Amino acid sequence: IGRPFPNAALLGGFAAMTRQVSLGALSSAIRDRFAKDPTLAERNVAAAAEVYQLVHQAMDHHRELAVLDAPAN
């Protein structure tokens, strides 16, 4: 269809949140899935990587806030 599938972005977010799948493994799987259309594959890899980074940064920020809000011992 010429555009990234939303599922690739969702999988990027899942990988960042759960850390059960590495971004490299996810990218490899996307490239395998879209082997007949490398351009589409790379667009999906880019979408997954972008959401992965956004979620990863948001989780780091949330952890930093939790530490700041933690009661002092």
Side-chain angles (χ1 to χ4, degrees), residues 18-42:
T18 65
R19 299 183 185 201
Q20 296 296 308
V21 179
S22 71
L23 183 57
L26 177 57
S27 297
S28 180
I30 291 170
R31 287 183 181 107
D32 286 348
R33 168 66 177 87
F34 296 102
K36 292 182 182 179
D37 189 345
T39 300
L40 184 58
E42 291 311 312

Side-chain angles (χ1 to χ4, degrees), residues 46-58:
E50 183 173 345
V51 174
Y52 179 94
Q53 293 302 325
L54 288 171
V55 170
H56 188 69
Q57 289 171 357

Side-chain angles (χ1 to χ4, degrees), residues 42-65:
E42 291 311 312
R43 291 175 72 183
N44 278 280
V45 167
E50 183 173 345
V51 174
Y52 179 94
Q53 293 302 325
L54 288 171
V55 170
H56 188 69
Q57 289 171 357
M59 290 176 62
D60 285 348
H61 180 71
H62 180 72
R63 278 193 280 282
E64 289 171 10
L65 292 177

